[in-house]
Amino acid sequence: MRKVLIVEDSGATRELLRAALETLEVIEVHTAVNGFDALKVLPRHRFELIITDINMPDINGLELINFVKKNPHYKDTPLFVVTSEGREQDRDRGLLLGANEYVVKPFAPERISELARRYLKL
Amino acid sequence: MSSFADLLDRFFYRPDEEVGPYLELAPQTDRAQDPVPEEEPEEFLAFMLEGETYAVPIGAVREILKISDVTEIPRSKKNLIGLINVRGEMLPLYDVKVRLRLAETIPTVRTSKDVARSARVVILRDPEGDAGVLVDRVDGVVKLQLSRLEEAPQLGIDRNAIAGLGRRDDLLFILLDVEQALS
Amino acid sequence: MAPRALTDFVAEATEILDTLDRELMALEERGSGDPDPDRLNAIFRASHSLKGLSAMFGLEGLARLSHRAEDLLDALRLGKVHLDDTLLEALSQTVDVLHAMLGEAARGEDTADVKERAEVVSAELRRLARGQAVESGDVLDAIGIDPSVRAVFTEYEEHRLRENVKKGVGLWKVRAVFGLDDFDTRLTELNRALKPLGEVVSTLPSSQPGDDASIAFDLIFGSGRDREEIQGALIEGSSLSPLGRVPVPPPSVPLPTNLPPKKAPVWDDVSVSGPALTPISSSGSGISSSPSGLTRLSGGAPVETSMRSLTNTVRVDIGRLDGLMNSIGELLLIRSNIERLAEAARQTQGTALPKLWGQELQREARSLERRLDELQKGVLEVRMVPLGQVFDKLARLMRRLVKESGKDIAFDVSGGDVELDKLIVEELSDPLMHLLRNALDHGVEQPEQRQARGKSGRATIGLVARQQGNHVIIEVKDDGNGLDEARIREVAIERGLVTRDQTEEMERRELLNLVFQPGFSTRRDVSELSGRGVGLDVVKTNLQRLSGLIDIESRRAQGTTFTLTLPLTLAIIRALMVSVSGRTYAIPLNSVLEIVQIRTDALKTIEKREVIEVRGQTLPFIRLARVFGLPEEPRVAHYVVLVGLAQQRLGLAIDDLLGQQDIVTKPLSGRLRGIPGIAGATELGDRRAVLVLDVGALMEELMRATPTSTRDSA
């Protein structure tokens, strides 16, 4: 199974994402409800894809991207930002920090599964 | 050099001070050793007020200055001669003669010309604030044994400002109670 | 939507709306001055989450309205618009409509009524979000913040950092290393400890892999407190370092105003400034860089490298500035001594050489004076702080008080950027608060009464500052009742402050000034607002201490204006040197209104007290020589220095004017404390001590003897 981490504080959105990814069958979805939660689970697994929101209460998504992309274990792991953040500056920064995709809500669940398929080379 | 001169240097020497003349006037503090050696004599600064010799503990003396310009302070306490500027610090200059019944009136002093050439300002340390006292002449340092100080005689007038009397050879030193004298 | 998904959605949306409700209410309670940034951000986040959630679940109406709210809240948290009652009102209406929309969504309804309400609040939100123009020039550029630090900041975090820089507080890095198991609770604990001392702008997780059991964070913390205090708040596992070791680069190397262009990846910048760093892309062996280059890791061991300065401010004890000021004062004295020597040399008879030297020396002395003036000005400038520091506090408090008073009042503040000596600014909040409370309590009428007077139902209380020469003018004004002379007269008589006969002779202005008498208060019932019976006399006392003036301008039923005139600084003052019976005195120019010459035969007496008339105003005429018990000589005319402090004015007769001089007043301490009418002493070029008059105390003393309470003795 390929492990994917979803970092998203909205439970409903989290479940939508999970449902979209699970259509790919070989995927094992882990979730974190905020940045801290993510920092806790990241070292415990070997995730092959990370999907994160930007706007979170503890550390922001940009900081998480930076952490992931500068971390030797995760620097090559694909990371998607899924956010309703339309702000251009934040988007640019996310991409600069190494986010591979920047998906703005609302999005069709198929778009996420399609992207996941591409990055995980399924 | 005599130990007195050393002391004078140690405590009071300032480049602009004429230390010399005081030496001759100084009591012979080091001539006769005290017969009771177990008690260390205390040091006092002796000075003249209207022909009488007064003394204050050395520890209470901060410095000795020649008189410079004095600024009159209107509506201040009667025994205040005025304000002096000691290297930027504004200090009061007091008269103690009236308090000690040595004079009738507080002198008007504005410049060094208003006082005798030998007159000095003795700056005394005091918890209420350092203050200068105008004296006619500074004599020097004298060693007196505290146990041998005499009580001030009751002369019927207010002599609260006197802490006691000290004798050294034939000289009488009237010990000033600084706090009282300035009040 | 599947029923299950809908239930999920409604549950979560309700939760978000509850948060919105709660936070908005808390915001309202706090007043609308300077809101807690964390609270604003929480509200913003709630609206943002609701927008995203609604959009995901296809509820366009909800998504649109929460989007509008989000835009406004974003502008608010980024400081582009300011929080006020209108805005709060619009937000709470929005939440009501959102509740209604969510209810409809849950029931599968969609009514025109709710849609219409949504349109209305949506338009209002849009109008409010337009806000003010964003200021140009970025303080973050000015302080030389490393672009790579900024790279991980969201626009919002950047805004908060900017606000902290603007406030001039210190910026710190708190490094925290916590166990992987409990770092979140520890961080919460650390945040809770730091929060009362300042603002945690950002929490940056360090990207080092650590020892598998721990993780490091860098908290960017802005705080006005000193190092010890912050240090004291730290919990185990955290440590403090200033974000300001490296000076700002010279201006010749302009910093990028924004992000580096996309083609230049962040780590290129980092590797330039840190030779030990290997670009991340080519590294597979534990070399990493945290976002800011704050801490770099090499082979698992943390290496602290030079950190770019986030701020270039230093905090200085004002006592040290006073010390500097004194030194400058002494240097100025030495300069005038040199000038005197030069002059003496120039006057030397005969030989030419000393004359030449004298001229040269004089030139040098002049240029020394110029430099010293600059130095003095520089030191003075360091002491200056904007009045906004106290205005903001006052505005916050006023909003709360206005709300409690139940009156309809607009509070206008302007001139917060005017700068004054820090010591003065700190002393101003009490008197200003008092005047404002007074305006609110006694000045402003109830709306009905205002309308009956033909005024708008909404009253205005203003707090306005402006600089005028060497002074700062602060006005506290209201458009309310105005002061009632008749009532003031009655109260003053009732309180035994004046006799009825005395009031007969008083002009309107004098009558108004009675409100500054201790024990005067026109209202018996001491309201909670105006404090425990403390009167305007406190305001007067405070102002006197600051060498300030206070004037009242009041029209019945139209309003009252209190005008405060304050010196820019107290450290060094300009004084008028005067001579009285051969003595020299310094009168602080702050208190001098003007100087006139009066012929002795133009003097009049009222109740055996001498008065003069200056432009129609009758003022007490006081001979300083007489007050000080100095010998007087008969003269045909007098120089009269008209002095004023707080609300009082009088004429001081002196013999001669000697000119003006900048002086540093040394207080008379110890045994000399409390000499009436003397504020201190200053030294002139010849080392002579000159007394500085305490105009406030003198006036206090002399006014007591004129016209109010000395009937019996006269």
Side-chain angles (χ1 to χ4, degrees), chain A residues 58-60 63, chain C residues 152-154 157 199-204 218-221:
Chain A
D58 39 26
I59 61 167
N60 75 49
E63 286 154 3
Chain C
V152 283
F153 287 168
T154 58
E157 285 170 330
E199 181 180 354
V200 176
V201 173
S202 187
T203 304
L204 310 168
D218 288 323
L219 278 64
I220 306 299
F221 183 56

Side-chain angles (χ1 to χ4, degrees), chain C residues 679-710:
Chain C
T682 188
E683 52 185 326
L684 296 188
D686 55 5
R687 303 236 150 226
R688 198 154 44 103
V690 163
L691 297 180
V692 182
L693 301 190
D694 182 342
V695 175
L698 268 178
M699 297 192 59
E700 190 73 21
E701 169 192 345
L702 300 170
M703 287 299 202
R704 238 183 288 131
T706 30
T708 43
S709 62
T710 44

Side-chain angles (χ1 to χ4, degrees), chain B residues 80-150:
Chain B
L80 186 67
I81 299 172
L83 187 69
I84 50 172
N85 176 12
V86 182
R87 296 181 301 280
E89 191 182 355
M90 302 295 171
L91 293 177
L93 176 63
Y94 287 97
D95 168 87
V96 291
K97 288 182 185 174
V98 172
R99 179 85 169 81
L100 295 168
R101 312 274 167 150
L102 298 171
E104 294 286 308
T105 53
I106 305 285
T108 305
V109 182
R110 296 293 157 253
T111 67
S112 54
K113 292 188 198 100
D114 297 329
V115 293
R117 252 185 64 91
S118 64
R120 292 293 183 274
V121 175
V122 178
I123 307 279
L124 298 172
R125 293 179 211 278
D126 186 67
E128 257 193 78
D130 293 358
V133 169
L134 184 64
V135 304
D136 295 339
R137 194 180 76 199
V138 168
D139 278 351
V141 176
V142 61
K143 289 187 179 183
L144 298 171
Q145 272 179 326
L146 288 179
S147 63
R148 296 175 61 176
L149 295 182
E150 301 159 27

